[in-house]
């Protein structure tokens, strides 16, 4: 059960009484005290009851609309007094206290287990502490969190060691700040196609950051080069020394941009609709209906996972023990007649590679 608060519980008991039709002040006091006793609280006198009733009408307690200004809160919960009887006003809303159902509470250890991977981040650490305290989780429930293990490749960067992923996440958070403030940024970047570590392999980029994407356990920045109108994708761990600076002009003034205007100009909202991951296809690349057949264990795996929003099961082949799915994805133009689809999309090739001979493209049709 959530950690109980006497003030909130008094108001909760009043609301329960009003929900049942209400009654006189004496009847309200009796019902409220019974509810408080059942929850281990002391009974209250009429004076305290009147005060709690006023707090209810002022919205002065923890509820789903607590964030509203004081004047707005005072007009939400209305209690009427007619012929010595208290009841809800017909135009009154009912408070939502934010309780969790038992089934929802059972998911808390799972949530905590997932968040623990990022508990070195101050905000995550604070959330974990508040979750434990607010919902009154006991040792047995917290032990359940240790049974949840997030298995994924561990990011390793030279010079950052165990803190590699933490530092990348912190840089992602910093970039989100630049995106929100509409600030252009600059950084030195090493292409993902190169493994050399020499400084000569770096290239300076000045971009307008638009979006952070998490794909296959790696973080990416979608951005538009300053002065241009096309989208580029940068893998955050490839940014030199994980350093990103605010871009300035020749007069050392911060360079800003209109994020919404730029997103609309390049069509960011639909840019990745027909992309399997984070690849940037040029406008001339066409969308194809690609049929992929999965066999045996790969079929069972694909049956339970939605790899892409356009994925649809089109045929079950019991004799072959296989499933055929369709995907609507962009492909590069053919370099030669009947070039395989996987050669026209690096991410499709990567996707199929994990299944080896248990997945194959069996058809391509232009949409």
């Amino acid at each position: 059960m959530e950690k109980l608060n006497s003030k909130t519980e008094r108001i909760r008991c009043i609301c329960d009484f009003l929900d049942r039709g209400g009654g006189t002040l004496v009847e309200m006091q009796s019902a409220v005290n019974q509810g408080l006793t059942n929850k281990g609280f002391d009974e209250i006198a009429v004076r305290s009851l009147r005060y709690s009733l006023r707090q209810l009408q002022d919205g002065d307690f923890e509820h789903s609309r607590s964030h509203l200004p004081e004047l707005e809160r005072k007009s939400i919960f209305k209690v009427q007094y007619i012929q010595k009887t208290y009841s809800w006003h017909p135009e009154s809303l009912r408070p939502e206290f934010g309780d969790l159902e038992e089934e929802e509470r059972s998911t808390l250890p799972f949530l905590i287990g997932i968040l623990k991977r990022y508990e070195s981040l101050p905000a995550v650490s604070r959330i974990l502490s508040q979750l434990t305290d607010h919902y009154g989780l006991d040792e047995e429930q917290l032990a359940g969190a240790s049974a949840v293990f997030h298995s994924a490749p561990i990011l390793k960067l030279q010079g950052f060691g165990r803190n590699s992923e933490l530092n990348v996440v912190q840089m992602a958070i910093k970039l989100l700040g630049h995106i929100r403030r509409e600030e252009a940024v600059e950084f030195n970047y090493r292409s993902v196609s190169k493994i050399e570590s020499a400084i000569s392999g770096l290239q300076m980029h000045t971009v307008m950051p638009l979006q952070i994407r998490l794909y296959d356990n790696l973080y990416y920045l979608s951005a538009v080069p300053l002065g241009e109108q096309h989208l580029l994708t940068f893998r955050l761990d490839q940014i030199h020394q994980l350093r990103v600076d605010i871009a300035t002009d020749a007069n050392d003034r911060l360079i800003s941009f209109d994020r919404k205007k730029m997103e609309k100009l390049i069509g960011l909202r639909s840019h990745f609709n027909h992309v399997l991951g984070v690849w940037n296809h040029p406008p001339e690349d066409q969308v194809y209906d690609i049929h992929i057949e999965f066999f045996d264990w790969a079929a069972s795996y694909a049956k339970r996972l939605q790899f892409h929003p356009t994925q649809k099961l089109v045929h079950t082949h019991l004799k072959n023990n296989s499933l055929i799915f369709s995907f609507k994805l962009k492909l590069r133009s053919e370099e030669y007649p009947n070039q395989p689809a996987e050669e026209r999309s690096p991410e499709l090739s990567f996707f199929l590679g994990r299944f080896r001979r248990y997945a194959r493209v069996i058809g391509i049709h232009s949409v």
Side-chain angles (χ1 to χ4, degrees):
M1 171 172 279
E2 286 83 349
K3 185 178 181 180
L4 299 179
N5 176 286
S6 59
K7 172 183 176 179
T8 302
E9 287 308 309
R10 291 177 184 182
I11 295 173
R12 192 197 305 265
C13 289
I14 293 175
C15 291
D16 290 342
F17 173 74
L18 296 173
D19 288 342
R20 294 194 295 268
T24 66
L25 186 64
V26 173
E27 291 170 336
M28 183 189 295
Q29 182 185 20
S30 176
V32 169
N33 281 336
Q34 183 61 56
L36 291 174
T37 300
N38 293 341
K39 296 178 180 180
F41 289 96
D42 294 333
E43 294 185 354
I44 59 174
V46 173
R47 182 178 178 181
S48 296
L49 178 63
R50 290 184 185 277
Y51 182 67
S52 295
L53 187 60
R54 173 52 55 191
Q55 289 178 315
L56 166 61
Q57 295 180 90
D58 288 344
D60 183 20
F61 61 99
E62 290 185 20
H63 55 90
S64 61
R65 298 169 184 260
S66 299
H67 62 282
L68 295 176
E70 182 179 352
L71 289 178
E72 290 186 40
R73 292 201 308 268
K74 288 187 176 182
S75 63
I76 298 176
F77 311 120
K78 302 175 182 178
V79 179
Q80 62 184 12
Y81 181 64
I82 301 175
Q83 296 181 348
K84 299 183 179 181
T85 298
Y86 292 88
S87 62
W88 285 118
H89 190 283
E91 297 179 359
S92 177
L93 297 179
R94 304 295 192 269
E96 295 181 12
F97 293 92
D99 295 343
L100 292 178
E101 300 294 337
E102 190 61 33
E103 185 176 345
E104 293 174 318
R105 284 183 55 78
S106 67
T107 66
L108 286 174
F110 185 80
L111 174 62
I112 292 173
I114 293 175
L115 289 177
K116 271 191 169 295
R117 177 174 180 176
Y118 307 101
E119 66 179 339
S120 53
L121 292 173
V124 175
S125 177
R126 183 172 181 178
I127 289 172
L128 286 172
S129 175
Q130 290 177 342
L131 278 174
T132 302
D133 184 55
H134 180 75
Y135 292 107
L137 299 179
D138 55 31
E139 291 185 5
E140 182 179 351
Q141 291 171 314
L142 289 174
S146 64
V148 179
F149 183 74
H150 184 184
S151 180
I154 298 175
L155 187 63
K156 294 181 65 176
L157 297 179
Q158 185 176 359
F160 291 92
R162 292 183 177 181
N163 293 323
S164 295
E165 184 167 7
L166 170 62
N167 281 272
V168 170
V169 171
Q170 288 176 333
M171 183 173 61
I173 294 172
K174 179 182 178 182
L175 282 166
L176 287 173
H178 293 307
I179 292 172
R180 178 176 53 82
R181 294 187 296 271
E182 300 180 327
E183 299 168 343
V185 297
E186 60 184 19
F187 50 82
N188 283 302
Y189 187 77
R190 178 174 290 103
S191 172
V192 296
S193 62
K194 298 179 180 179
I195 61 172
E196 63 175 317
S197 58
I199 297 296
S200 59
L202 298 174
Q203 182 178 356
M204 172 65 76
H205 290 271
T206 302
V207 302
M208 296 172 281
L210 297 179
Q211 192 177 76
I212 298 294
R213 301 180 73 86
L214 174 60
Y215 177 66
D216 208 21
N217 297 302
L218 291 172
Y219 295 85
Y220 296 84
L221 168 68
S222 294
V224 175
L226 194 64
E228 301 181 29
Q229 297 181 7
H230 63 91
L231 197 68
L232 291 179
T233 297
F234 302 91
R235 215 174 77 190
L236 296 193
D237 58 282
Q238 292 292 105
I239 293 177
H240 183 57
Q241 295 184 345
L242 301 183
R243 176 173 176 174
V244 174
D245 298 312
I246 297 177
T248 56
D249 60 20
N251 296 315
D252 204 30
R253 294 176 299 193
L254 180 149
I255 301 175
S256 60
F257 65 99
D258 189 324
R259 178 164 58 91
K260 290 185 177 179
K261 181 178 179 180
M262 185 56 61
E263 288 177 350
K264 184 176 181 180
L265 182 65
I266 65 170
L268 181 62
R269 180 171 295 183
S270 60
H271 184 84
F272 293 100
N273 283 359
H274 300 289
V275 177
L276 198 55
V278 294
W279 191 264
N280 283 307
H281 285 270
E284 61 269 20
D285 285 357
Q286 299 297 309
V287 177
Y288 291 83
D289 187 12
I290 303 172
H291 284 203
I292 302 176
E293 186 171 18
F294 296 84
F295 301 88
D296 300 341
W297 64 267
S300 177
Y301 187 78
K303 183 179 180 180
R304 301 302 183 197
L305 293 176
Q306 185 83 18
F307 299 109
H308 192 267
T310 65
Q311 177 182 335
K312 291 183 179 179
L313 176 64
V314 295
H315 185 67
T316 299
H317 203 311
L318 296 179
K319 185 177 180 180
N320 288 351
N321 192 31
S322 67
L323 300 174
I324 298 175
F325 291 89
S326 68
F327 296 79
K328 288 182 171 58
L329 304 173
K330 283 189 173 184
L331 297 178
R332 291 172 174 172
S333 300
E334 287 185 334
E335 296 179 0
Y336 59 87
N338 299 318
Q339 183 181 17
E342 52 268 40
E343 292 185 10
R344 299 165 60 187
S345 170
E347 288 184 325
L348 178 59
S349 176
F350 178 79
F351 173 69
L352 293 173
R354 72 176 69 180
F355 300 108
R356 306 191 309 279
R357 67 179 186 275
Y358 295 97
R360 64 178 181 177
V361 175
I362 61 172
I364 308 174
H365 307 282
S366 180
V367 174

